[in-house]
Amino acid sequence: MIITGKYPELRLRRTRQYDWSRRLVKENSLSANDLVQPIFLVDGKNKKIPVKSMPNVFRYSIDRISQEVDKSVSNKIPMISLFPFTNHKLKNNLGTEALNENNLVCKAIKLIKKRYKNSIGIMCDVALDPYTSHGHDGIINENKILNDETVEILIKQSLLQAEMGCDVIAPSDMMDGRIGKIRKALDKNNFKDVQILSYAIKYASNFYGPFRDAVGSKKNLKGDKKTYQMDYNNHSEAIREVALDIKEGADMVMVKPGMPYLDIIKEVKENFKLPVLAYQVSGEYSIISNAINKKLINRDAIIEILTAFKRAGASAIITYFANQIAKDLK
Ligand code: PBG
């Protein structure tokens, strides 16, 4: 404990008196550099389709993604994250569309890399749920999500994304052992500079609903994801997950969801001193957006919440508010 003095000589309100002195002692300052913008992709031409459960969020056809990427680049947002809404006809038990080099994600990576070079980073989820007919992140046998068999497919998905030009591979599937195997495969195939952002701590959460709607896996999903995503009662287990992934070669780790897990972000940062990203997920986004739209809270609440992630120790936040809020941060 640091002893700072006592009242009445000490008055903490002195430094709060003026805007300039509040700025002077400010400990955290959110900027566009702290944000990652997710983009949903959809088949077709000239499409911009609203996601019903997420106000102001759209699915873009490839020919229109520049609209979002332009905004991110000009706002100095360092990275975007791509998520596909896959046509139901292309989904099957094994999620084979994940390995199609002409799938939406592959086409988007190629276009963005060509047009924007390295002015913005591209991050892609590695998991099968946008592509499987059952909506799970892995393949299934007799109601069981198979770990090792799934990892073999995820390796191929990672290599394909790397080949297209993806900068940051982000396994979000929660299978055991996948970070090490993906790292080895990337290195062996000359992708030693491709980064891995592990969704090391992903809780089986009730806050993913609107996202599953956005990628069209909501109606497909049978059961829940509790046999692979983490139990939200647990804390020590989160530390073990991160320790393992660091050993296996993760460059950065993610904590997901965001706001209900600030304790975990802080703990991981303090223990491991590596870049920790927070994911403010779809359910959090929709709750806040709806409350703003109903005028229950004002828009500055977005910055307040995003700053909380910084205070907890996050290096960056994946948020559907990124492009909407970046201008206000200038
Ligand atoms: C899929 C994935 C999910 C999210 C990101 N990647 C959903 C899930 O695990 O069911 C959720 C993101 C959000 O809710 O914003 N592996």
Side-chain angles (χ1 to χ4, degrees), residues 30 70 76 79 93 157 232 260 265 267 279 286 310:
L30 187 75
D70 278 348
K76 293 260 159 48
M79 182 162 80
N93 260 335
Q157 188 183 15
Y232 57 70
I265 296 172
E267 182 92 10
Y279 200 138
S286 295
K310 293 297 292 177

Side-chain angles (χ1 to χ4, degrees), residues 38 40 54 83 125-130 135-137 170-174 199 202-205 207-212 215 217 221 225 228-229 254 256-257 279-285 318 320:
F40 292 111
M54 300 178 76
F83 297 104
D125 247 35
V126 170
L128 300 180
D129 57 304
H136 279 287
D137 294 35
S172 70
D173 54 288
M174 290 296 279
Y199 284 75
K202 180 170 180 182
Y203 285 96
S205 172
F207 289 91
Y208 302 148
F211 173 94
R212 290 176 188 167
V215 300
S217 70
L221 186 61
K225 299 191 176 184
Y228 46 108
Q229 298 181 348
M254 180 107 77
K256 178 182 175 188
Y279 200 138
Q280 182 187 52
V281 300
S282 57
E284 300 175 68
Y285 171 86
I318 304 188
Y320 304 96

Side-chain angles (χ1 to χ4, degrees), residues 25-290:
V25 298
K26 199 179 209 176
E27 296 175 46
N28 283 286
S29 190
L30 187 75
S31 83
N33 293 325
D34 301 318
L35 307 177
V36 177
Q37 173 69 47
I39 300 178
F40 292 111
L41 310 168
V42 69
D43 254 337
K45 286 219 161 67
N46 198 21
K47 294 240 163 75
K48 181 181 175 182
I49 304 169
V51 176
K52 271 202 201 100
S53 51
M54 300 178 76
N56 282 315
V57 172
F58 302 87
R59 303 183 191 109
Y60 295 89
S61 55
I62 305 288
D63 57 343
R64 286 191 70 168
I65 45 178
S66 296
Q67 188 182 332
E68 278 296 279
V69 187
D70 278 348
K71 272 191 225 159
S72 298
V73 170
S74 69
N75 286 325
K76 293 260 159 48
I77 287 173
M79 182 162 80
I80 53 166
S81 163
L82 301 173
F83 297 104
F85 173 92
T86 306
N87 189 318
H88 287 277
K89 283 184 226 133
L90 298 172
K91 295 189 183 190
N92 59 28
N93 260 335
L94 299 174
T96 46
E97 177 65 7
L99 304 182
N100 172 3
E101 62 176 25
N102 286 313
N103 71 22
L104 282 170
V105 168
C106 290
K107 280 197 264 190
I109 303 173
K110 273 199 281 193
L111 181 138
I112 296 166
K113 265 301 143 195
K114 194 167 160 205
R115 191 169 299 168
Y116 300 90
K117 308 282 188 296
N118 285 324
S119 61
I120 193 156
I122 304 176
M123 154 190 163
C124 291
D125 247 35
V126 170
L128 300 180
D129 57 304
Y131 309 106
T132 50
S133 43
H134 43 70
H136 279 287
D137 294 35
I139 57 175
I140 303 189
N141 188 24
E142 291 177 357
N143 287 326
K144 209 176 153 180
I145 315 294
L146 302 176
N147 192 89
D148 300 3
E149 293 80 352
T150 297
V151 171
E152 291 310 313
I153 304 174
L154 300 178
I155 293 170
K156 291 185 189 144
Q157 188 183 15
S158 304
L159 287 173
L160 178 62
Q161 291 176 354
E163 195 185 316
M164 297 297 136
C166 178
D167 300 292
V168 177
I169 302 284
S172 70
D173 54 288
M174 290 296 279
M175 298 300 121
D176 282 323
R178 86 283 203 213
I179 299 299
K181 293 212 165 186
I182 290 172
R183 182 73 270 164
K184 275 209 188 87
L186 288 171
D187 287 359
K188 212 172 114 189
N189 288 276
N190 244 332
F191 297 120
K192 61 180 191 311
D193 291 331
V194 171
Q195 305 179 39
I196 297 181
L197 163 59
S198 171
Y199 284 75
I201 308 175
K202 180 170 180 182
Y203 285 96
S205 172
N206 296 296
F207 289 91
Y208 302 148
F211 173 94
R212 290 176 188 167
D213 172 33
V215 300
S217 70
K218 195 170 193 161
K219 289 196 198 91
N220 298 64
L221 186 61
K222 291 189 184 73
D224 56 47
K225 299 191 176 184
K226 289 181 182 169
T227 69
Y228 46 108
Q229 298 181 348
M230 265 188 59
D231 181 345
Y232 57 70
N233 292 288
N234 295 357
H235 168 267
S236 310
E237 192 184 353
I239 305 300
R240 298 181 81 193
E241 278 286 0
V242 174
L244 265 175
D245 285 0
I246 293 174
K247 265 202 180 142
E248 290 180 27
D251 301 289
M252 307 174 262
V253 294
M254 180 107 77
V255 176
K256 178 182 175 188
M259 202 158 57
Y261 298 92
L262 293 176
D263 56 330
I264 305 294
I265 296 172
K266 186 162 196 280
E267 182 92 10
V268 170
K269 186 66 192 183
E270 283 177 357
N271 273 290
F272 298 104
K273 312 286 181 203
L274 87 168
V276 180
L277 276 73
Y279 200 138
Q280 182 187 52
V281 300
S282 57
E284 300 175 68
Y285 171 86
S286 295
I287 291 168
I288 299 161
S289 293
N290 290 338

